Amino acid sequence: MKKQIKVVLLVFTVLTILLMACGACVNNSPSPSQLPYVEIQQYNGHDLSPISDVQDVSIKGPQIVDISTYKLTVNGLVDTPTDFTYDEVLANTSYTKEVVLNCVEGWSADILWQGVLLSDLFDKVKVQPEANTVIFYAVDGYTTSLPLQTIIDKKMILAYKENGVVLIQKDGYPFILVAEDKLGYKWCKWINRIELSSDSSYRGYWESNGYSNDADVSN
Ligand SMILES: Nc1nc2c(c(=O)[nH]1)N[C@H]1C(S)=C(S)[C@@H](COP(=O)(O)O)O[C@H]1N2
Ligand SMILES: [Mo]
């Protein structure tokens, strides 16, 4: 009789363990919740390029910018030189633009950019009448420039998002200049200073290495 109780207890224990184990395996096996794919893939009825099409050919590789200490300096021929925080830049009206980035190395990427108008920043610092050139400086020491009038006419933006996601590090976080209709080397990434100048003979990094200062994309 005692033996029978022992067997019953044993069977009960084994069953309980099996049940618990089974419960555990049921609990641990829900399929992981799918996060929606965040990158915008289509716009106005056609495909955009995936962000991964934007290659990195930068002079020193992707730069890491600490946003807590980051400042965007806008100075030179302006009445009120200003150091903007990331949030202060983002507080401006936001615009989206689909623009193709064409690199001289033969690749291109059709991306939906989102950012602020450079002319809105210029209004804030009050650009002086002698200014005719805008020089962009980046944390990797890269520089490039454009005529002030071109930036205004083409309504160029400083982008902080690409295909709906915050600009990734290799693409210039926190800001890339969307230099519409201009070759890739005008698309300054990791910008930390914008200088208003009257030096129209200024030549940036690639421009002083033999690349055209106009940098027009030939269609
Ligand atoms: N700060 C910085 N911006 C830069 C560059 C760079 O080396 N440093 N390279 C330019 C070039 S040549 C191109 S084609 C575009 C896109 O650069 P990526 O190919 O390095 O992404 O960024 C431009 N902006
Ligand atoms: Mo490039």
Side-chain angles (χ1 to χ4, degrees):
M1 191 64 180
K2 253 188 176 175
K3 209 175 183 180
Q4 275 174 319
I5 290 172
K6 266 186 185 167
V7 169
V8 168
L9 269 176
L10 187 73
V11 168
F12 182 78
T13 312
V14 167
L15 276 176
T16 308
I17 289 169
L18 275 176
L19 267 172
M20 278 169 70
C22 197
C25 73
V26 167
N27 279 339
N28 285 342
S29 63
S31 52
S33 11
Q34 284 294 143
L35 282 171
Y37 189 68
V38 280
E39 190 179 340
I40 298 171
Q41 293 168 288
Q42 267 149 16
Y43 189 66
N44 280 346
H46 64 269
D47 288 348
L48 293 166
S49 307
I51 293 172
S52 56
D53 273 12
V54 182
Q55 299 180 32
D56 183 59
V57 292
S58 52
I59 54 168
K60 290 184 185 157
Q63 301 294 301
I64 300 164
V65 172
D66 178 359
I67 217 65
S68 66
T69 54
Y70 173 83
K71 292 277 159 49
L72 174 66
T73 301
V74 186
N75 64 8
L77 298 173
V78 301
D79 286 348
T80 51
T82 310
D83 291 343
F84 296 102
T85 64
Y86 181 68
D87 289 341
E88 284 167 347
V89 176
L90 266 58
N92 290 277
T93 309
S94 166
Y95 297 88
T96 52
K97 261 191 185 197
E98 183 190 2
V99 188
V100 178
L101 163 53
N102 291 281
C103 173
V104 289
E105 296 201 337
W107 56 269
S108 65
D110 180 0
I111 302 283
L112 179 64
W113 306 96
Q114 181 181 342
V116 300
L117 270 180
L118 278 157
S119 57
D120 283 348
L121 293 180
F122 295 161
D123 288 348
K124 289 220 158 80
V125 297
K126 299 184 194 71
V127 174
Q128 295 170 359
E130 317 88 78
N132 57 22
T133 303
V134 183
I135 308 172
F136 296 87
Y137 299 83
V139 300
D140 58 350
Y142 190 83
T143 66
T144 190
S145 64
L146 283 170
L148 174 60
Q149 203 55 51
T150 303
I151 292 174
I152 293 168
D153 290 348
K154 292 190 182 289
K155 298 184 170 59
M156 285 186 182
I157 62 169
L158 205 56
Y160 54 85
K161 278 192 175 185
E162 50 181 343
N163 290 352
V165 303
V166 174
L167 206 62
I168 61 173
Q169 191 188 316
K170 81 164 176 60
D171 293 344
Y173 177 80
F175 298 113
I176 185 173
L177 169 66
V178 178
E180 200 163 341
D181 303 329
K182 300 290 176 181
L183 289 165
Y185 57 88
K186 293 288 181 185
W187 294 56
C188 195
K189 305 192 284 185
W190 312 293
I191 299 171
N192 62 356
R193 181 180 164 212
I194 300 173
E195 182 191 1
L196 279 295
S197 160
S198 59
D199 181 9
S200 53
S201 64
Y202 180 88
R203 294 294 179 269
Y205 184 88
W206 287 118
E207 294 88 337
S208 56
N209 279 286
Y211 285 93
S212 148
N213 193 45
D214 289 336
D216 286 321
V217 173
S218 48
N219 296 301

